[in-house]
Amino acid sequence: MDTCPCGLDAAYDTCCGPIIRGEKAAETAEQLMRARYTAYAKVETDFLKESIRPDKRHTHDERQTKNWAAKSEWFNLEVVRTEKGGVDDDTGRVEFIANYAIKGEKARHHELATFVKLDGSWYFDDGVGVVPETMVRQGPKVGRNDPCPCGSGKKFKKCCG
């Protein structure tokens, strides 16, 4: 079985394959987003262009997209959350993380993508990168030579540091 790259435990030919080949339409925004990820992994760049909202397709660089998709090694897709985008909705948002490598360098593409349903079909509308939250230390900084906060009596560097 050729497992679908989208992360669902299903065969490509019954999962995203029919959507990419145009045999069936995506029923939800998340389903279209998973098919788009799979299209990158399978270098099916015609589908990537066709799944963009028609009035925004002129912004799509086919050559650059194909080059990037082909040179990348696609590991997995994590769907973080979805907002709307169901069968009865006209808009939806899907936050996802695509894990891949390009030229051997591992990378993560974290995006909040918006989708719109026009004439009964879902399309990719826009996407913005999600910036990681800044971590703020809750307690005081523990120095290497300070007593370990775990209570062991050892210096931090010899214990939990």
Side-chain angles (χ1 to χ4, degrees), residues 19-37:
I19 297 169
I20 292 170
R21 291 189 299 266
E23 297 167 2
K24 77 174 198 173
E27 296 177 8
T28 65
E30 181 180 335
Q31 199 175 44
L32 179 61
M33 189 278 310
R34 287 182 179 279
R36 285 180 53 83
Y37 171 84

Side-chain angles (χ1 to χ4, degrees), residues 4 16 22 46 48 56 69 75 80 106 109 129 140 142 145 149-150 152:
C4 193
C16 293
D46 290 340
L48 292 169
K56 293 189 175 185
F75 299 124
V80 177
K106 288 188 176 183
H109 178 79
V142 179
N145 291 314
C150 77
S152 68

Side-chain angles (χ1 to χ4, degrees), residues 82-116:
T82 60
E83 296 173 15
K84 294 188 176 181
V87 176
D88 296 325
D89 295 318
D90 290 328
T91 61
R93 296 176 8 143
V94 180
E95 182 179 347
F96 68 92
I97 301 170
N99 295 291
Y100 67 99
I102 189 157
K103 296 181 182 176
E105 285 285 320
K106 288 188 176 183
R108 291 168 46 101
H109 178 79
H110 191 171
E111 180 177 310
L112 180 58
T114 56
F115 296 85
V116 63

